Amino acid sequence: MDDPILIVGAGPTGLVLALWLARSGVPFRIIEKNDGPGQASRAMAVQARTLEFYQQLGIADQAIASGIEIHGGHLRQGSRVIADFPFNNIGQVFSPYPFILSFPQDDHEHLLVKCLEAAGVHVEWSTQLVQFKEEGQSVKAVLRKGEKDETAEFAYVCGCDGAHSTVRQGLGLNFPGGTYEQLFYVADVQATGLALTPEVNACISSESFILAFPVRSSGSFRLIGIVPQELASQKGLTFEEIRPYVKKQIDVDVHQVNWFSTYHVHHRVADHFRQGRVFIAGDAGHVHSPAGGQGMNTGIGDAVNLAWKLATVIRGRTNPAVLDTYESERIAYARTLVASTDRLFQVAVSHGLGARIVRGTFLRYIAPLVLHLKAARKAQFRLVSQTRIHYRDSSVLSSGAAGKIHGGDRLPWIESQNNFQSLSSLDWQIHVYGKFTPEMHALSTRWNIPIQSYYFDKDAQAADFARDAAYLLRPDGHIALAQTDQNAQQMEQFLAKWIVPAS
């Protein structure tokens, strides 16, 4: 087979999966049933962890230049600020990207397509997967473009084709969960008002909530809220019916509506993310409330996790058993995310007396106190930015501990030493914070795994590294093995299980 991998779907998840494979030198095909990139802004927030992945791919600067940096936010009750939550002076110790990037999904997809084309790969637009079947060591698929059908054979198929995934349905996977009864609205508007600033503005009232943040250009904002109960059943709803409620809740004046839509929010996670040689990722595997700006970023995290494993397996660098860890690592996070956003959503939108009391107490007393604490703001940034995602429970691919860092953790960032720079290799490597031993250097040469030495200084200590400890890094920047004593024999045993020595 000429192309060992088929990617179905060219949204952000499929495009990032494709970019990683292209940069790894792995051939593939990517198809999309639509005739081009998305035309709606849809997902907006690009989190720090996604930008770190983009740094590995060499496209972070392009993405940032195309969006708007949001360095903090405000919790509001009407036009009154209840609490502030700045990111930049908190997140800068955790990530080179201590902000949320506001980047409309249509612009985002156009950028990813452009980067993919620069790598010599073109999306096959207006092409859909009709059917597929795994047979032995391959998957046979029927692809349709216009009136013409094509039968092709692939080693692996990756379904990145959204919540109504053809791939997931073809596998017969369940997609348990539910749909919230509330009707959401989303609007991109030109507006002015005290509650509109170049940050995230979460406006919570006893009845509902509205999120407002800048998009595209000066004076343009995205509003996300819940349609009032008395309007939810109205046919042909427009922003004009919503306008007085927006004015009452956040005291803004909308001068122009560029886009308006209503929709119901689902909360679902598929039973499995893999069946044999077929995988699903992104919205094909999980959907949930958009309020936290996590959905698209979680899909991109799926893509990176799957991409490096497929790439190293196809290139003969890694034991194919590594593919078994994709589902266990990503489905665990998806379930936790959906469960937590579901609980928060229910409290935020419930009309019950108990929930209204909780919201009132939170706004008046808890939020101002908690968000004033530095530790709370750090925890908030790490949660929203997805920089705290780890795979410690992936015991077969995450082992050991050194300092406060465990196998499975994301590599902590040290600004002064730029220890993320080497991750652009998209390959296995060893980091030592201090001096590496001759035995470790010999192991590095023998297995053709680069070894990087960094100073063990106050910055390394503050990042929780241990002096002279060795950290074996996976291609996605997570730690596979952490050692306090640079035990070359133990690391060799770990490598022998997962890695094929590169020529």
Side-chain angles (χ1 to χ4, degrees):
M1 59 193 77
D2 295 330
D3 301 291
I5 298 173
L6 173 67
I7 301 172
V8 183
T13 299
L15 290 168
V16 171
L17 175 56
L19 268 172
W20 194 287
L21 294 176
R23 295 289 167 87
S24 301
V26 175
F28 62 91
R29 291 174 67 180
I30 176 170
I31 64 172
E32 168 57 53
K33 64 181 181 180
N34 295 317
D35 58 6
Q39 301 298 313
S41 53
R42 298 175 65 190
M44 298 288 301
V46 180
Q47 303 294 354
R49 187 62 180 132
T50 295
L51 291 173
E52 291 173 2
F53 291 139
Y54 284 4
Q55 183 185 52
Q56 289 187 256
L57 293 169
I59 65 171
D61 290 344
Q62 291 172 266
I64 294 168
S66 303
I68 299 173
E69 295 181 25
I70 298 177
H71 291 276
H74 309 287
L75 181 63
R76 294 179 178 271
Q77 193 170 29
S79 59
R80 184 169 66 94
V81 175
I82 301 296
D84 296 315
F85 41 97
F87 295 149
N88 56 334
N89 63 346
I90 294 295
Q92 62 189 6
V93 300
F94 296 114
S95 174
Y97 307 105
F99 51 83
I100 295 174
L101 184 71
S102 177
F103 193 15
Q105 184 171 330
D106 50 350
D107 293 343
H108 193 167
E109 289 183 14
H110 277 85
L111 173 64
L112 294 174
V113 168
K114 180 181 177 181
C115 293
L116 195 57
E117 290 175 344
V121 179
H122 298 273
V123 177
E124 298 178 45
W125 304 108
S126 303
T127 304
Q128 58 181 317
L129 176 67
V130 178
Q131 63 184 40
F132 62 93
K133 183 179 181 180
E134 183 174 342
E135 296 184 358
Q137 299 301 305
S138 67
V139 181
K140 291 186 177 178
V142 177
L143 312 180
R144 178 172 297 161
K145 185 176 179 67
E147 299 298 321
K148 184 179 180 181
D149 283 2
E150 171 197 357
T151 300
E153 192 173 357
F154 304 92
Y156 301 99
V157 171
C158 305
C160 307
D161 49 343
H164 302 289
S165 170
T166 298
V167 176
R168 186 189 68 244
Q169 293 174 20
L171 291 174
L173 297 177
N174 292 323
F175 202 29
T179 304
Y180 297 115
E181 62 177 290
Q182 294 83 3
L183 183 66
F184 271 74
Y185 70 84
V186 56
D188 284 353
V189 302
Q190 294 290 127
T192 55
L194 291 176
L196 294 178
T197 59
E199 292 94 17
V200 176
N201 289 274
C203 308
I204 301 178
S205 68
S206 58
E207 295 84 17
S208 186
F209 74 88
I210 295 179
L211 296 178
F213 44 89
V215 55
R216 301 190 195 276
S217 60
S218 177
S220 184
F221 292 86
R222 162 68 60 88
L223 305 178
I224 299 176
I226 296 176
V227 175
Q229 279 186 305
E230 57 269 29
L231 298 178
S233 60
Q234 181 174 320
K235 302 295 184 182
L237 190 69
T238 69
F239 184 79
E240 291 309 309
E241 286 81 29
I242 301 292
R243 183 188 295 272
Y245 296 89
V246 173
K247 176 66 176 176
K248 178 183 177 182
Q249 283 186 275
I250 62 174
D251 192 23
V252 299
D253 296 304
V254 175
H255 309 298
Q256 179 179 326
V257 179
N258 300 321
W259 179 58
F260 175 79
S261 182
T262 60
Y263 59 98
H264 281 282
V265 172
H266 302 267
H267 50 105
R268 302 177 184 277
V269 181
D271 284 346
H272 296 283
F273 285 6
R274 179 195 184 186
Q275 192 173 100
R277 291 179 169 270
V278 184
F279 303 83
I280 58 173
D283 286 355
H286 49 82
V287 292
H288 53 87
S289 166
Q294 301 294 296
M296 180 185 66
N297 295 275
T298 303
I300 290 172
D302 294 344
V304 170
N305 190 289
L306 179 57
W308 80 257
K309 292 170 181 176
L310 283 172
T312 57
V313 167
I314 292 292
R315 288 163 46 207
R317 178 68 159 148
T318 303
N319 185 333
V322 76
L323 296 175
D324 296 334
T325 67
Y326 166 68
E327 177 181 301
S328 60
E329 290 184 351
R330 295 307 297 177
I331 203 169
Y333 178 70
R335 286 171 174 163
T336 299
L337 178 63
V338 169
S340 59
T341 55
D342 181 47
R343 287 193 296 270
L344 290 172
F345 182 81
Q346 294 290 6
V347 171
V349 304
S350 175
H351 293 284
L353 177 61
R356 291 165 68 99
I357 292 173
V358 169
R359 283 200 297 271
T361 304
F362 175 77
L363 286 169
R364 184 173 299 179
Y365 303 110
I366 300 175
L369 175 63
V370 171
L371 292 177
H372 181 71
L373 300 174
K374 188 174 182 179
R377 295 202 303 273
K378 284 183 177 180
Q380 179 201 39
F381 174 81
R382 297 209 67 194
L383 175 65
V384 172
S385 68
Q386 298 199 346
T387 56
R388 80 171 192 176
I389 292 176
H390 62 79
Y391 305 122
R392 291 185 182 183
D393 294 333
S394 182
S395 56
V396 295
L397 196 58
S398 303
S399 180
K404 296 181 181 179
I405 300 169
H406 292 248
D409 290 355
R410 158 190 166 273
L411 178 73
W413 180 57
I414 304 178
E415 179 181 11
S416 60
Q417 301 195 51
N418 195 14
N419 63 331
F420 277 15
Q421 185 174 15
S422 65
L423 301 181
S424 61
S425 69
L426 307 186
D427 204 352
W428 297 86
Q429 59 190 278
I430 299 169
H431 279 198
V432 174
Y433 293 81
K435 295 180 179 180
F436 55 75
T437 63
E439 292 78 12
M440 192 61 69
H441 182 264
L443 177 145
S444 166
T445 303
R446 189 162 58 251
W447 286 84
N448 196 13
I449 296 178
I451 187 167
Q452 313 286 342
S453 179
Y454 297 91
Y455 296 114
F456 184 78
D457 55 14
K458 60 181 179 60
D459 294 332
Q461 188 173 16
D464 294 330
F465 289 103
R467 183 187 296 274
D468 297 332
Y471 302 90
L472 173 66
L473 299 183
R474 308 170 358 164
D476 60 353
H478 284 264
I479 294 162
L481 176 64
Q483 297 180 318
T484 57
D485 56 357
Q486 295 190 46
N487 186 326
Q489 182 179 3
Q490 180 196 38
M491 185 169 289
E492 185 127 29
Q493 291 173 347
F494 189 93
L495 293 174
K497 181 177 180 180
W498 292 109
I499 301 177
V500 177
S503 59

